[in-house]
Amino acid sequence: MVDTVIGRGAGRSGARHAVVIGGSLAGLLAAHVLADHAERVTIVERDRLPDGPEPRGGVPQSRHTHVLIPGGQGAYDTLLPGFTDELLAHGAPRVGAPNDIVQWQGGRWFRRTEETAHFITPTRPLLEWLVRRRVLANPRIEVVEGTETVGLVGDCVRVRGVLLRERGAAAAAVGREPQRLAADLVVDASGRGSKAADWLTAIGAEPPVEETLETGLSYATRLYRTDEDGSGDSDARGHFIVPNPGQTFGAVVLPVEGERWNVTLWGLRGAEPPLDDRGFTEYADRLPHPIVRKWLDAAKADSTALAYRTTANIRRRYDRPGRRPAGFLATGDAQCVFNPIYGQGMTVAAFSALALRDALADSRTPTTRRVQKAMFAASRQAWDISAGSDKNMPTASGSAARSTVADRFSGWYLGRVEARATGDPVISKVFRDVLYLSAPVSALFAPRIAKAVLFGPVRPAPQEPPMRRESRG
């Protein structure tokens, strides 16, 4: 049997059916791409999807801070033309970098020089609703809601569908067998808690090797309102306190739609942020500067605080050889999931969809492994940033926690980059572009940048939080 992911020209001939497990961002975007190659795409979703921008149980981090970084903005606009304009039109704030941000990192404050990039800070429910509305407008795509996938149909040679069970009271009926849904392609977009390893084992296939890196980081988020209009002591649109191995507490304060602000505080295992009103506020006293505590004292809470503690980096190596069937792919968090504090997940979901699109359009036969390798490559830079930073934390553990000689050299070099980025706008721009996934890591080693990093001085940075943007001059 030829290992084709989905038949060429299937969209025209009406010969193929694709099933996507999970209706979150990665699943929706994968379905959007597959609709150009299949007659029918079915999204199987455990939740009942809300009609508007409302949180849902299947996205437990949806009430926490989210950012759409520049790399992600380009990817979403490529997949769904005009998407970022639509997001802004629905009230999602636009935050310039570095001019709008008061940022502490590596023991130094960043200069607030002229904007070189921006990110968008919607709530996750708003962004997901807008994507869902666009994607599900395609008549080739349908959603089966309130239903969970409990297994695969097929064998170690090829997957031919999924086993489904309705959630709720009907699922508890005695003797009720899972229903089969035939498919030519199954895409696992079920997220961090994917059960695909068990599903593959059950049909005689080999599950992927998992790489894990855990720091024990936990965070808590609370919504606020403020009367601050930029006419007071500060014109900042956000605050970042970035932790490091010697200072493990962090914070982010960013606006969201509806004239509200999300405040997220985080710390490592054993020092988790409390959720009560007083405890949450006083936790900010652990930060290296009182700027966030002062902001909290001046603002008014608009919600209770919510915790999130599932922050391990996990990479499932479907790209490697193994006894795995044709017709099965993994995308999004089911393939590679990151510590959420780096703000990469929504962007990598779109990168993976673009990789799927390009692999299916390739002139070569789109074999399962070739497509999966392309989707793996789409997540690699984000993994290198997230896991590379986390393995330096004092509580790092897991199969990917060991540092190599290359890691130690990279850490030394990036430490010099970070120290110079605070006061040098040129290095700052490149550093930011790499973190925002809009430039490759190699940009940090370009001759001009490498010369400044290796031989240039550390330029002066603000001694106190820069409460006002620098003038253009």
Side-chain angles (χ1 to χ4, degrees):
M1 179 180 294
V2 177
D3 174 12
T4 55
V5 170
I6 200 160
R8 292 193 179 282
R12 294 182 295 275
S13 64
R16 300 291 181 183
H17 177 216
V19 168
V20 177
I21 305 169
S24 191
L25 291 173
L28 289 166
L29 295 174
H32 175 70
V33 168
L34 291 170
D36 287 337
H37 299 269
E39 179 192 42
R40 188 163 59 102
V41 180
T42 301
I43 300 173
V44 179
E45 171 53 48
R46 298 175 77 247
D47 289 343
R48 296 289 178 182
L49 297 173
D51 293 330
E54 301 295 332
R56 59 187 181 87
V59 188
Q61 79 278 27
S62 66
R63 297 180 188 268
H64 296 272
T65 301
H66 283 74
V67 296
L68 188 59
I69 54 180
Q73 294 167 39
Y76 278 84
D77 278 340
T78 299
L79 291 161
L80 305 170
F83 179 79
T84 56
D85 286 342
E86 185 178 8
L87 194 58
L88 294 169
H90 277 79
R94 180 190 186 280
V95 179
N99 58 314
D100 283 339
I101 301 296
V102 176
Q103 179 171 341
W104 184 95
Q105 187 167 351
R108 296 163 62 88
W109 296 101
F110 273 73
R111 292 175 58 188
R112 292 178 60 194
T113 50
E114 188 174 350
E115 176 181 318
T116 62
H118 73 272
F119 49 92
I120 304 174
T121 61
T123 60
R124 171 64 177 261
L126 174 64
L127 187 141
E128 190 169 306
W129 172 63
L130 291 175
V131 171
R132 185 164 64 243
R133 191 172 69 167
R134 291 278 295 270
V135 170
L136 298 186
N138 190 327
R140 287 187 177 175
I141 302 174
E142 63 177 344
V143 182
V144 178
E145 300 180 49
T147 301
E148 58 185 341
T149 302
V150 295
L152 300 172
V153 177
D155 52 36
C156 63
V157 177
R158 187 166 192 94
V159 166
R160 296 179 178 84
V162 291
L163 296 173
L164 304 179
R165 178 178 288 135
E166 186 178 353
R167 298 187 73 200
V174 176
R176 189 178 180 90
E177 294 294 327
Q179 302 298 301
R180 294 188 174 212
L181 178 63
D184 302 281
L185 172 66
V186 174
V187 179
D188 180 19
S190 59
R192 177 185 285 271
S194 169
K195 301 294 192 295
D198 295 335
W199 302 338
L200 290 167
T201 300
I203 62 171
E206 182 180 349
V209 172
E210 281 194 358
E211 298 173 340
T212 61
L213 179 56
E214 168 73 82
T215 64
L217 179 137
S218 298
Y219 57 86
T221 301
R222 196 175 191 186
L223 277 169
Y224 285 81
R225 293 187 183 273
T226 177
D227 296 329
E228 181 60 65
D229 61 1
S231 61
D233 293 338
S234 175
D235 59 4
R237 297 272 287 157
H239 300 78
F240 288 167
I241 304 294
V242 181
N244 59 53
Q247 194 295 115
T248 57
F249 298 98
V252 60
V253 179
L254 286 172
V256 296
E257 69 272 9
E259 299 182 350
R260 298 169 299 168
W261 297 73
N262 253 338
V263 177
T264 297
L265 306 176
W266 64 79
L268 298 182
R269 186 182 297 112
E272 299 89 348
L275 302 182
D276 63 284
D277 180 68
R278 181 177 177 180
F280 185 87
T281 302
E282 292 182 348
Y283 190 84
D285 291 335
R286 301 189 179 200
L287 298 169
H289 191 277
I291 184 172
V292 173
R293 173 61 192 267
K294 290 179 180 178
W295 191 98
L296 291 173
D297 287 340
K300 181 181 294 185
D302 198 48
S303 75
T304 58
L306 297 171
Y308 191 73
R309 298 184 177 181
T310 310
T311 59
N313 303 274
I314 303 172
R315 184 161 64 170
R316 300 175 174 107
R317 300 303 302 266
Y318 286 101
D319 59 299
R320 291 179 174 172
R323 192 179 69 257
R324 283 186 288 278
F328 179 83
L329 298 170
T331 189
D333 289 357
Q335 187 261 321
C336 189
V337 61
F338 317 95
N339 184 337
I341 68 166
Y342 297 100
Q344 302 164 319
M346 298 193 304
T347 290
V348 174
F351 282 1
S352 297
L354 286 174
L356 176 62
R357 182 200 66 173
D358 293 344
L360 293 178
D362 196 306
S363 59
R364 298 171 296 174
T365 300
T367 63
T368 301
R369 184 164 176 237
R370 182 176 295 138
V371 174
Q372 191 69 74
K373 287 178 71 174
M375 295 165 74
F376 167 82
S379 66
R380 185 164 188 170
Q381 180 168 325
W383 172 270
D384 289 344
I385 291 169
S386 179
S389 296
D390 276 3
K391 69 172 55 177
N392 295 319
M393 299 303 282
T395 52
S397 63
S399 61
R402 184 176 63 87
S403 292
T404 65
V405 173
D407 291 331
R408 290 190 285 273
F409 170 76
S410 295
W412 172 81
Y413 185 85
L414 291 175
R416 295 180 68 87
V417 170
E418 183 180 68
R420 286 153 179 78
T422 55
D424 186 328
V426 175
I427 295 177
S428 178
K429 178 185 183 305
V430 178
F431 181 56
R432 192 174 301 108
D433 288 346
V434 171
L435 293 180
Y436 290 170
L437 304 180
S438 55
V441 174
S442 60
L444 292 171
F445 297 89
R448 180 186 179 191
I449 301 301
K451 181 179 179 181
V453 169
L454 293 173
F455 306 112
V458 176
R459 296 188 181 183
Q463 296 301 301
E464 292 294 326
M467 306 308 288
R468 289 277 169 185
R469 303 178 185 93
E470 292 188 16
S471 63
R472 188 179 293 270

